[in-house]
Amino acid sequence: MSEFKDYLTNHKYIGNYNAIISSNTNNTEKGVVYVEDGSDIWFWQTFIERLFPNQYEYKTASYEQQGKTTLKQFYKKLNKKVLIARDADYDWLLPNQDDLNNPYILHTFAYSKESVLIEKDNLNEFFGIISHSHRHNMSINTVIKHLSRLVFFGLCWLVNAYLKNSSPAGINYDSFNKNYQILDKNFVLENLMFDFDALNIIQDNVNNHLTLSSNDDLMTAKCYLSKYDINENNAYRFISGHLLDEFINKIHEQLCNQLKRKEADDIKQHLKGKAIGNRISQISKIFENSFSLQTYYRQYLIDDNDEIHQKILEKISQLNNNI
């Protein structure tokens, strides 16, 4: 006797299931894309609808439990009507038992959806418009370039550990990621520039914990990474996307706070009484409404020149060969 979850991957029934859940008979012809979390739906919809408009519904596999572990129950039963869309994590770079080569498992190639959305050149344009009467002197592009170089050598260490173990089983990813955690630091100087001394902590961690014992190991790791088109310039997109996202969020928060403080100082010099509070409140709303990082991510369009976007779209396009 079939379990209920079997119907959730049966191409003969999934259309009727969509129609029942949505109370819309027009959805009987649609397939379904299962995602890790409800917050991922808009992201995958943006990419998939680009090539297959109005052909899929998007759902989480479970309301009670979310994440890629929940999706694994469907892996062996996927088909042209039932797809998985998930973060790659380290599973694409360091393959394990998750078969990301499965044509019906779409993934981010970069570590996570945050890694796909954080592209240094486009992000630099967004940071460049964050201002009111004061302008900052920060190049987020340069910051990420410095970080990416440090990440690259960490990835070399990670690849070396993977190759020597012949699997990711013995790798402590949490311990590895801690080398890049510096969220308790101040990143923005009084002159509104980035404090690169903060990255010295990561440099020390790399030197102390992630240095390879031989040049041969380093060259082998670099060759391995090059097969995945990973280099010092883009390595930042292949480390924990949650760490990267938190790092960018912290810089953004500190920068906006510094700018608002300078605006408040000017206001206090020129206004008096209630007018001060009213004007400061107005400035705060301008920053909140105009310079929201999350809004920027939501509005970030697919970039045909972005190498990660290209990989995602290429895999989605290959569904044509399986439909």
Side-chain angles (χ1 to χ4, degrees):
M1 183 178 179
S2 298
E3 297 183 23
F4 176 71
K5 68 178 183 180
D6 293 332
Y7 290 98
L8 301 182
T9 55
N10 190 316
H11 69 278
K12 295 180 180 179
Y13 296 99
I14 198 63
N16 291 329
Y17 175 69
N18 284 333
I20 292 171
I21 293 297
S22 64
S23 300
N24 186 346
T25 56
N26 292 329
N27 290 337
T28 54
E29 299 301 318
K30 289 185 178 181
V32 66
V33 179
Y34 290 113
V35 300
E36 294 183 68
D37 185 275
S39 63
D40 297 333
I41 288 176
W42 71 271
F43 172 84
W44 284 109
Q45 213 167 11
T46 300
F47 278 93
I48 296 171
E49 296 292 308
R50 169 83 172 266
L51 298 176
F52 295 97
N54 206 34
Q55 293 189 36
Y56 290 96
E57 291 289 293
Y58 301 82
K59 310 178 189 299
T60 56
S62 168
Y63 286 106
E64 294 79 17
Q65 190 176 16
Q66 300 188 349
K68 67 178 183 180
T69 303
T70 308
L71 299 176
K72 288 183 178 181
Q73 62 183 309
F74 299 140
Y75 277 12
K76 294 182 179 179
K77 300 178 181 180
L78 299 175
N79 55 75
K80 63 186 179 181
K81 285 285 191 178
V82 183
L83 310 176
I84 291 291
R86 49 157 289 191
D87 289 344
D89 297 337
Y90 288 116
D91 300 338
W92 177 66
L93 178 61
L94 309 174
N96 56 16
Q97 295 178 348
D98 286 4
D99 184 13
L100 295 192
N101 289 323
N102 185 320
Y104 304 117
I105 299 179
L106 308 177
H107 63 90
T108 54
F109 290 90
Y111 186 93
S112 67
K113 84 166 185 273
E114 292 83 5
S115 313
V116 177
L117 296 170
I118 297 174
E119 193 283 319
K120 63 183 188 313
D121 295 327
N122 284 289
L123 191 63
N124 197 59
E125 290 185 15
F126 168 72
F127 266 73
I129 68 171
I130 301 175
S131 68
H132 190 63
S133 64
H134 290 268
R135 296 193 64 84
H136 64 83
N137 302 299
M138 181 184 297
S139 166
I140 199 68
N141 188 317
T142 303
V143 174
I144 293 177
K145 281 182 178 179
H146 277 72
L147 174 67
S148 191
R149 180 179 176 277
L150 296 173
V151 169
F152 181 76
F153 286 100
L155 290 179
C156 286
W157 180 92
L158 201 61
V159 165
N160 183 67
Y162 171 79
L163 294 175
K164 290 192 172 181
N165 288 320
S166 300
S167 81
I171 300 175
N172 187 330
Y173 290 121
D174 289 337
S175 178
F176 172 77
N177 289 335
K178 284 180 181 178
N179 291 291
Y180 295 92
Q181 290 176 338
I182 55 172
L183 297 178
D184 58 336
K185 304 302 177 185
N186 290 321
F187 300 123
V188 183
L189 298 169
E190 186 64 27
N191 63 2
L192 300 178
M193 297 185 71
F194 183 81
D195 185 1
F196 283 94
D197 286 346
L199 294 183
N200 289 339
I201 298 170
I202 295 179
Q203 180 69 72
D204 290 342
N205 289 338
V206 170
N207 291 341
N208 294 330
H209 307 300
L210 303 177
T211 300
L212 297 178
S213 57
S214 74
N215 190 57
D216 286 345
D217 286 344
L218 178 61
M219 294 307 298
T220 297
K222 285 183 175 181
C223 287
Y224 182 99
L225 290 171
S226 70
K227 293 178 182 178
Y228 288 82
D229 299 320
I230 299 175
N231 51 57
E232 291 187 21
N233 198 45
N234 64 11
Y236 69 96
R237 302 178 90 176
F238 297 92
I239 198 174
S240 169
H242 312 299
L243 272 180
L244 178 63
D245 183 44
E246 290 174 349
F247 177 63
I248 299 300
N249 281 340
K250 197 73 172 181
I251 297 172
H252 176 267
E253 177 187 0
Q254 291 181 7
L255 177 62
C256 288
N257 286 341
Q258 286 263 38
L259 286 166
K260 286 188 288 185
R261 275 196 290 270
K262 289 185 179 296
E263 298 291 343
D265 289 343
D266 287 351
I267 291 168
K268 291 172 185 177
Q269 288 181 10
H270 294 91
L271 298 178
K272 294 181 180 180
K274 291 183 179 180
I276 293 176
N278 291 337
R279 183 59 176 156
I280 289 176
S281 178
Q282 183 184 21
I283 294 296
S284 294
K285 287 181 179 178
I286 289 173
F287 273 81
E288 181 181 346
N289 295 333
S290 301
F291 309 128
S292 165
L293 193 54
Q294 294 308 312
T295 300
Y296 160 75
Y297 291 147
R298 282 273 186 165
Q299 295 176 343
Y300 182 45
L301 301 176
I302 294 174
D303 184 351
D304 290 320
N305 295 317
D306 186 314
E307 58 192 344
I308 302 299
H309 292 205
Q310 290 172 357
K311 290 179 186 296
I312 295 172
L313 289 172
E314 174 63 22
K315 179 148 192 182
I316 294 171
S317 72
Q318 290 173 0
L319 291 170
N320 274 320
N321 300 328
N322 303 297
I323 293 177

